[in-house]
Amino acid sequence: MADNSQLAVMLTCSVCQDIFRDPRQLPCGHSFCMACLESLIDFTSDVPFRCPDCRTYFGSVIGVQKSYALACISEDHRENNKAKQKESVFCDCCPEKMEPAIKSCLKCEVSLCKEHLQPHLECQAFLGHTLVPPLGNLSSRRCLEHKGQVLKYYCSVSKTYVCNICALERNQRNLAEESSTVLEGKLTDLMNQQYNSVKQTVENCKESVIKIKEEIRQELTTHSKDLWINLVTVLLLGLWFISVYYAHSLSVDNQILQDKLQKQQSQLHDMYRMFAEKPLNSPSHSQRNGDNVGDFHFLSLNIDSASAYLKVSPDLQSVERVKTKLPHPSHPARFEKVPQVLSNQCVSSGRHVWVVEAEGYWDIAVSYTSIQRKRKGKDGAAFGVNAKSWSLMRNDIGQLFAYHNNSKKILNKTLNHNKVAVGVDFGKDIISFLEVGATNNQLHEFKAQLTEPVCLGIGLYRVDPHSRVSIITA
């Protein structure tokens, strides 16, 4: 017979992360709450429905049946848990009275009665605290690997709950694997191109030798032996020069290829070393002192947020404006009214610097992830026209503008280089833009009271001139 914790895991719906309510079984054998299945089917009405656990496709008609035994077991387990919690959980703030607790705070890790719960409901300082039904043993909600971190997320792969640091580490590991795959593909394509080029050169040399032999054979019938010898000497000398030229060209190409390969391997090595050696800090528990959190060594673009008029590179490091609308699938995070894109990585504390290389008509911004994605106009999705983003814009004639909360400021400065550094300092509440060159030129600085995680934003609003922005990763 499985113990109580194992039984709770087996009776937990992988969609809502709660004990089954009115469970229904799919043809693949996995069970979910009826309300969860209806929500998933409504959300995926335009594509074939897939099982959230095994990813099996089903047709337009999905046969489900109610699991009566599972429904009875789930309901009985829920009632037993409620009874146990009501019997054994008391308020931690009044131990002498043994007052029953009605809520537990996962942030403070205490159980509270009705009287001591009022500050959590009324004071602004406790707005971010998560209140749940009374829990008798709050220590079981902590991560064993990262001491003090609360288990908030459910991992469908390991079938266990994980903390936010575990989730962030897995996300970074997946990004590193994806980057490694992209780099490997690019190197393979480059080496194939070099091989095909050398192969074509050799084939051309062979054809040239065959033609020369044929010409020599024809010349022998009409010219003397001395003329033939002179002709052969000249042709051999020409072939020698051609061979030397192609050998030198191949040597230069190989050296360039080796330099690129060494640089890519160095970047990948630094990336793996960062994941292996640098501890990751939880965004929700980081201090706002500006010295504890290091910069992200790897920054990539979120393709799900990219407008249909923006083309993101396969390695997620650059984006360019296109004239024809691309067939991007619909996504809640996608910008629909303005050609903009956000980065995958966001930060919520410390000091960070991102460097980009930009050309054409561009807008580089720092934005909250909660920025609108669908609306135009004031308080809309465009960077700088709302209170959730701060941007630096360069138009087609080189003029610079600073935007925030629909306020425009003309900057009497020009760019001599095409590299711009974006700095975010949570400790001082400063967002700054600098030109990267022989000497760093301060372009503009915002004083911003940052209250949410921020990420890098890029806007490319015109096709002419050609507009493109790339993230500098090394």
Side-chain angles (χ1 to χ4, degrees):
M1 184 72 178
D3 61 22
N4 193 39
S5 61
Q6 292 176 334
L7 180 61
V9 172
M10 290 187 291
L11 296 178
T12 299
C13 175
S14 61
V15 177
C16 64
Q17 305 304 320
D18 198 1
I19 303 300
F20 285 120
R21 295 180 182 274
D22 191 14
R24 301 301 172 99
Q25 187 177 27
L26 294 176
C28 60
H30 294 105
S31 298
F32 305 94
C33 300
M34 185 60 186
C36 297
L37 278 178
E38 291 176 346
S39 299
L40 288 174
I41 294 172
D42 293 339
F43 183 75
T44 58
S45 59
D46 296 335
V47 295
F49 178 76
R50 301 175 66 178
C51 173
D53 281 346
C54 65
R55 313 304 292 170
T56 300
Y57 282 104
F58 299 102
S60 57
V61 178
I62 306 171
V64 297
Q65 56 184 0
K66 182 171 182 178
S67 301
Y68 292 95
L70 185 59
C72 294
I73 295 173
S74 301
E75 187 63 28
D76 183 66
H77 181 76
R78 186 182 294 106
E79 294 298 329
N80 289 338
N81 284 344
K82 289 181 180 178
K84 287 182 179 179
Q85 290 178 355
K86 290 182 179 178
E87 292 174 1
S88 60
V89 181
F90 300 97
C91 179
D92 293 323
C93 297
C94 47
E96 296 180 356
K97 297 182 179 180
M98 297 294 287
E99 193 72 20
I102 61 173
K103 290 289 182 180
S104 293
C105 178
L106 297 181
K107 180 73 173 181
C108 302
E109 298 186 357
V110 294
S111 297
L112 304 169
C113 63
K114 183 176 182 180
E115 178 182 354
H116 291 100
L117 181 65
Q118 290 303 314
H120 275 69
L121 300 176
E122 298 173 356
C123 295
Q124 294 290 330
F126 297 110
L127 286 181
H129 291 210
T130 303
L131 298 175
V132 298
L135 297 176
N137 185 12
L138 285 172
S139 61
S140 63
R141 296 279 302 197
R142 295 189 177 201
C143 181
L144 298 178
E145 182 177 356
H146 304 98
K147 303 297 183 182
Q149 300 299 322
V150 179
L151 303 176
K152 293 182 178 181
Y153 308 104
Y154 181 79
C155 178
S156 60
V157 178
S158 60
K159 304 296 183 182
T160 58
Y161 286 92
V162 296
C163 68
N164 52 359
I165 297 181
C166 293
L168 184 59
E169 287 178 348
R170 295 184 184 185
N171 184 41
Q172 295 291 343
R173 194 181 303 114
N174 292 336
L175 287 175
E177 292 176 355
E178 293 175 1
S179 301
S180 176
T181 303
V182 172
L183 290 175
E184 181 181 357
K186 295 176 72 173
L187 289 175
T188 302
D189 293 340
L190 184 59
M191 294 183 70
N192 288 336
Q193 292 177 3
Q194 294 292 335
Y195 172 76
N196 293 332
S197 177
V198 173
K199 182 178 179 181
Q200 185 62 38
T201 302
V202 173
E203 293 294 334
N204 293 338
C205 290
K206 288 182 178 180
E207 293 177 0
S208 299
V209 171
I210 294 174
K211 291 181 180 179
I212 292 172
K213 287 183 178 180
E214 184 64 27
E215 291 177 359
I216 292 175
R217 189 178 297 108
Q218 294 177 358
E219 289 291 334
L220 285 177
T221 59
T222 57
H223 294 80
S224 62
K225 183 177 181 181
D226 293 337
L227 181 60
W228 177 80
I229 293 175
N230 292 335
L231 181 59
V232 170
T233 303
V234 172
L235 291 175
L236 290 176
L237 185 61
L239 287 175
W240 181 80
F241 277 117
I242 293 174
S243 301
V244 170
Y245 169 76
Y246 281 115
H248 174 72
S249 177
L250 182 60
S251 176
V252 172
D253 291 342
N254 286 337
Q255 185 62 39
I256 294 174
L257 181 60
Q258 289 177 0
D259 293 341
K260 290 183 178 180
L261 179 60
Q262 185 176 3
K263 182 178 180 182
Q264 303 260 3
Q265 289 176 343
S266 177
Q267 294 177 2
L268 190 59
H269 175 72
D270 292 342
M271 193 185 308
Y272 279 120
R273 184 174 61 186
M274 178 190 71
F275 297 145
E277 297 178 0
K278 269 202 172 185
L280 293 171
N281 292 313
S282 169
S284 61
H285 295 81
S286 299
Q287 300 296 325
R288 293 173 58 86
N289 56 14
D291 295 323
N292 294 340
V293 182
D295 296 343
F296 275 102
H297 286 212
F298 182 83
L299 196 66
S300 61
L301 297 176
N302 184 355
I303 194 169
D304 290 332
S305 69
S307 164
Y309 290 96
L310 295 182
K311 181 180 180 181
V312 180
S313 62
D315 60 357
L316 308 180
Q317 296 296 293
S318 61
V319 59
E320 63 178 333
R321 181 72 158 83
V322 296
K323 184 176 182 180
T324 305
K325 187 175 182 180
L326 300 175
H328 290 335
S330 178
H331 196 279
R334 192 173 309 286
F335 287 101
E336 294 185 355
K337 302 299 182 181
V338 286
Q340 297 177 166
V341 63
L342 294 177
S343 63
N344 277 306
Q345 295 76 16
C346 298
V347 295
S348 59
S349 60
R351 294 178 300 183
H352 304 268
V353 178
W354 303 312
V355 180
V356 299
E357 187 174 9
E359 59 182 89
Y361 193 122
W362 48 260
D363 190 355
I364 299 171
V366 174
S367 173
Y368 290 150
T369 56
S370 60
I371 187 173
Q372 289 290 337
R373 312 298 175 98
K374 313 299 180 184
R375 297 205 301 258
K376 279 187 175 182
K378 185 178 180 181
D379 298 328
F383 294 139
V385 302
N386 48 64
K388 297 190 176 185
S389 58
W390 300 258
S391 73
L392 176 72
M393 175 183 284
R394 180 185 183 274
N395 64 13
D396 54 348
I397 60 175
Q399 290 180 320
L400 296 176
F401 306 90
Y403 285 91
H404 174 62
N405 202 15
N406 210 27
S407 176
K408 172 182 177 182
K409 181 178 180 181
I410 301 175
L411 305 180
N412 295 323
K413 297 181 180 180
T414 58
L415 288 176
N416 298 319
H417 303 84
N418 60 352
K419 290 184 180 179
V420 176
V422 183
V424 180
D425 191 333
F426 279 84
K428 297 180 180 180
D429 286 332
I430 290 176
I431 297 174
S432 57
F433 295 87
L434 301 91
E435 178 184 14
V436 179
T439 59
N440 293 335
N441 179 22
Q442 178 79 31
L443 299 176
H444 189 69
E445 183 176 280
F446 291 99
K447 287 294 292 182
Q449 186 174 1
L450 302 175
T451 59
E452 301 179 28
V454 297
C455 53
L456 179 66
I458 297 172
L460 302 174
Y461 303 123
R462 294 192 181 178
V463 179
D464 187 20
H466 178 68
S467 301
R468 177 185 177 90
V469 174
S470 299
I471 300 173
I472 307 299
T473 58

